[in-house]
Amino acid sequence: MNLYDEVIIEIKKENIIKELYRFQGANSFEYFNIKTSKFIDTAKDNYIYISNSLDHHKYFAIKRIRELLNKVILQEKGLQISCKDLRDNNNYSTIKKLIFNSDKLQNMYSIRLICDNNIIKLMKENSFSQNKKNIEKTIERVDRRVYGGGFGVADEWKKLIMCLTYFNGYQRIDRNSIISLISNMRKTGKVNSKENIEFILNSNDYYSFELSPKLESNFTKYEIINSIEQILKNGTYSPESELANNPTKTIKKVVEDYERGKEKILTLLDKYYTSKTN
């Protein structure tokens, strides 16, 4: 187990973090840059969608992978990722061969953001369902009835998520992963079951984690303040939220909690680093 994995396991016990998830690739645009660990600046005005739970992340990943396979890989052969075609031995064999030989199954990732707890509370309190959202750049609440759903975020809310993220992790989804997925679909006879996507697990072993660049900066607390103030200025919040009714108190709590979490993480990094080098 590496240094970052040990620290993440430890801070989970402190109950100061929450994990957000993003599936990227296929029909989901690459708005999160794996190399720089941040949302792409040119995507400022675009909404990006993030899962609020691991189960929703699995559900969404299966949905996107099926869409890619059906529309891009299998359509010309008249096949589908369906119980009928997966049960048929000849069709199943053809599907596997098409997947193994395709050059279109690249750059797909499961992304995990280890965030301060406050970002979840802020997003939940200030989000709107898609049919009720009447102000641009407010947070969209999507799939609310499906495993806790997810959020669509834009503009300053994306910046705030990045500021309140301690670690970024990603796992590449390759051909072997997809073959494993359809094999499980064939066995269970349930193509949409989240249990089929066993390679996305709540385990650090499958992810490569990096420190968020914001964690290493002494100016992040000021960026947090600026982002929240911009959200207030732009009106991209709910008038019924704690942020709307007690903005100064809310900003103070978010900054102080983030700084405590940051200090805890840096202390643990020093502790585990010292234990490994002695």
Side-chain angles (χ1 to χ4, degrees):
M1 186 179 297
N2 66 34
L3 180 64
Y4 293 163
D5 292 340
E6 290 180 314
V7 172
I8 291 169
I9 289 171
E10 189 66 28
I11 60 174
K12 279 185 178 180
K13 298 175 185 176
E14 301 287 329
N15 202 31
I16 62 173
I17 62 166
K18 177 71 169 69
E19 296 187 24
L20 294 171
Y21 305 85
R22 174 165 171 77
F23 173 81
Q24 191 157 282
N27 294 332
S28 297
F29 293 106
E30 295 184 21
Y31 287 148
F32 185 85
N33 189 313
I34 297 293
K35 294 180 180 178
T36 62
S37 298
K38 64 180 183 179
F39 295 121
I40 297 171
D41 292 338
T42 55
K44 177 183 177 183
D45 295 330
N46 298 98
Y47 273 85
I48 67 109
Y49 293 90
I50 299 173
S51 292
N52 185 42
S53 70
L54 180 62
D55 283 346
H56 183 269
H57 178 52
K58 290 180 177 181
Y59 153 81
F60 190 79
I62 290 173
K63 180 179 178 181
R64 283 290 181 258
I65 291 170
R66 281 191 69 198
E67 286 177 356
L68 175 66
L69 294 177
N70 288 339
K71 294 179 181 179
V72 179
I73 311 297
L74 306 178
Q75 193 173 52
E76 289 186 6
K77 297 291 185 180
L79 298 172
Q80 294 279 306
I81 299 299
S82 64
C83 291
K84 178 183 176 182
D85 282 339
L86 292 177
R87 279 197 303 265
D88 184 283
N89 290 334
N90 290 330
N91 288 345
Y92 179 59
S93 178
T94 300
I95 288 171
K96 287 200 297 181
K97 287 177 183 177
L98 289 169
I99 291 172
F100 272 123
N101 294 325
S102 175
D103 60 356
K104 297 176 181 178
L105 298 174
Q106 299 179 22
N107 301 319
M108 283 192 289
Y109 297 94
S110 167
I111 296 168
R112 289 169 69 185
L113 305 178
I114 311 294
C115 306
D116 182 271
N117 272 333
N118 281 296
I119 190 60
I120 307 302
K121 184 175 186 292
L122 284 167
M123 289 197 296
K124 284 183 176 179
E125 288 188 358
N126 292 281
S127 60
F128 301 85
S129 60
Q130 288 172 306
N131 61 340
K132 293 182 179 180
K133 185 173 70 71
N134 55 16
I135 301 174
E136 289 188 5
K137 311 296 172 57
T138 52
I139 301 176
E140 291 182 0
R141 191 70 188 270
V142 297
D143 293 337
R144 189 186 292 264
R145 297 181 181 180
V146 185
Y147 305 121
F151 300 99
V153 293
D155 202 30
E156 290 296 333
W157 282 105
K158 284 191 288 192
K159 291 183 182 178
L160 186 59
I161 290 174
M162 285 291 88
C163 287
L164 294 176
T165 295
Y166 296 124
F167 292 91
N168 310 282
Y170 71 91
Q171 172 190 177
R172 187 186 298 274
I173 300 173
D174 58 18
R175 292 181 183 86
N176 289 330
S177 301
I178 296 173
I179 292 295
S180 172
L181 172 62
I182 67 165
S183 174
N184 288 337
M185 289 175 175
R186 177 177 161 94
K187 290 175 185 176
T188 63
K190 299 176 182 179
V191 295
N192 292 318
S193 172
K194 63 183 175 62
E195 306 305 326
N196 291 329
I197 197 161
E198 59 186 14
F199 55 85
I200 294 181
L201 297 173
N202 193 17
S203 169
N204 293 356
D205 296 340
Y206 294 82
Y207 289 80
S208 298
F209 281 99
E210 297 288 345
L211 276 177
S212 168
K214 298 296 184 183
L215 190 70
E216 303 174 77
S217 171
N218 293 324
F219 301 100
T220 301
K221 64 181 179 181
Y222 304 115
E223 293 184 51
I224 293 170
I225 294 169
N226 183 66
S227 285
I228 298 177
E229 288 180 343
Q230 281 298 122
I231 287 167
L232 290 165
K233 179 181 178 181
N234 297 338
T236 53
Y237 60 91
S238 169
E240 300 175 359
S241 67
E242 182 70 16
L243 175 61
N245 294 310
N246 294 290
T248 302
K249 180 181 176 182
T250 300
I251 292 172
K252 185 173 185 290
K253 182 180 187 305
V254 172
V255 171
E256 289 180 350
D257 286 354
Y258 172 80
E259 288 289 297
R260 276 193 292 269
K262 174 180 176 178
E263 185 61 32
K264 176 72 175 179
I265 288 168
L266 294 177
T267 300
L268 287 171
L269 286 170
D270 284 339
K271 172 187 172 182
Y272 287 119
Y273 172 75
T274 301
S275 68
K276 287 177 181 294
T277 54
N278 287 339

